[in-house]
Amino acid sequence: MSALAAQATATGPDPYDVVFDAVADSQPQLVLEVGSGTGELAERMARNLDARVIAVDQSERMVDLTKQRGVEAIVGDVQNLPFKDGIFDCAVAAWMLFHAENVDLALRELRRILRSDGRVVASTSSQRSMSELWELVGQVGAPVDGFTAENAEWSLLRHFTVLQRRDIKGTVTFADREAAYQHVKASPRSDLAEQLPYFDEPLVATRHVVVYVAEP
Ligand SMILES: C[S@@+](CC[C@H](N)C(=O)[O-])C[C@H]1O[C@@H](n2cnc3c(N)ncnc32)[C@H](O)[C@@H]1O
């Protein structure tokens, strides 16, 4: 799931600002974003950093949407990246590693394509994030596993040295069912979206996401 559905409003720091700042801080020349989705972050990096940005997503549709933003994008799997060893200054994996079937394989690939002095910026959500929303579709907490705030550090430590962990907490308000529906639809359990009941009042959900900065 993305950190925030388009039609929702939020309090607390913007997680995408935190990711962007962590990338910018390393003054990269060549950036890879894996699981780039619609390409919003990739476009922001391409426009605002003095860097070449390449986006990879396994979905052709997402790659097309990213290209429409003028960003270089290709279809690919984070577990088997079509790049040579040690070429990227920075690899970004924003709210996507919990989709990978094999997180270890994905992290090994990210390490392989990074320069020895490069960095990975990876973000994910807590399993308890937006539990008020997930309870509405019969879940105890967010339906994510494999790479969550509760265990991501251990996964990263098998491949990287973790330099920073930034916990970002706040609330997200879904104005109506449609906004909440879009959020569930973008999650690894998109099938649950149909179970979302109608609600009259805006839904306020507590958010807890984490951004890691790690180096080989
Ligand atoms: C929840 S979205 C996050 C998109 C974007 N990073 C963001 O934060 O808004 C996850 C994205 O990862 C992509 N994805 C899932 N598994 C992938 C894989 N194994 N390799 C590459 N992309 C993948 C999906 O197609 C989707 O676009």
Side-chain angles (χ1 to χ4, degrees):
M1 74 213 62
S2 59
L4 178 55
Q7 300 121 303
T9 55
T11 63
D14 181 338
Y16 288 97
D17 287 349
V18 176
V19 171
F20 178 85
D21 290 347
V23 177
D25 185 49
S26 67
Q27 298 183 308
Q29 293 184 338
L30 186 57
V31 177
L32 173 68
E33 187 186 357
V34 289
S36 46
T38 58
E40 205 170 318
L41 176 64
E43 181 184 7
R44 180 174 175 187
M45 293 190 293
R47 282 183 191 275
N48 296 296
L49 301 177
D50 193 11
R52 178 178 172 195
V53 176
I54 302 176
V56 168
D57 200 288
Q58 70 173 9
S59 153
E60 276 185 33
R61 166 106 183 109
M62 294 300 154
V63 167
D64 283 346
L65 290 172
T66 302
K67 282 183 179 165
Q68 285 170 24
R69 294 176 181 269
V71 177
E72 216 175 318
I74 57 170
V75 174
D77 183 348
V78 64
Q79 299 161 114
N80 183 21
L81 291 168
F83 302 108
K84 289 185 191 157
D85 296 358
I87 59 171
F88 288 93
D89 301 304
C90 185
V92 183
W95 292 277
M96 69 78 61
L97 283 166
F98 43 64
H99 283 283
E101 260 175 52
N102 187 329
V103 174
D104 258 330
L105 203 53
L107 291 172
R108 186 155 21 125
E109 275 296 85
L110 291 177
R111 180 174 175 161
R112 181 186 66 72
I113 56 85
L114 269 186
R115 288 165 52 113
S116 56
D117 59 352
R119 66 166 50 174
V120 63
V121 178
S123 57
T124 187
S125 301
S126 163
Q127 283 168 317
R128 296 177 62 197
S129 193
M130 304 210 202
S131 50
E132 299 89 343
L133 169 65
W134 295 111
E135 276 166 20
L136 291 179
V137 290
Q139 297 290 302
V140 180
V144 287
D145 54 25
F147 193 85
T148 67
E150 285 71 28
N151 62 21
E153 209 156 326
W154 300 112
S155 301
L156 282 164
L157 283 169
R158 283 199 284 271
H159 304 270
F160 297 96
T161 300
V162 175
L163 302 179
Q164 266 177 46
R165 168 186 168 131
R166 170 110 187 251
D167 285 74
I168 302 158
K169 295 183 180 179
T171 63
V172 171
T173 301
F174 296 97
D176 51 27
R177 180 185 185 269
E178 177 58 22
Y181 177 90
Q182 292 303 335
H183 189 83
V184 177
K185 202 71 188 161
S187 80
R189 287 295 310 276
S190 54
D191 57 301
L192 294 172
E194 308 309 327
Q195 294 181 28
L196 198 63
Y198 284 88
F199 48 86
D200 299 330
E201 300 284 314
L203 173 68
V204 181
T206 49
R207 174 169 68 179
H208 176 192
V209 300
V210 182
V211 177
Y212 296 94
V213 177
E215 66 180 13

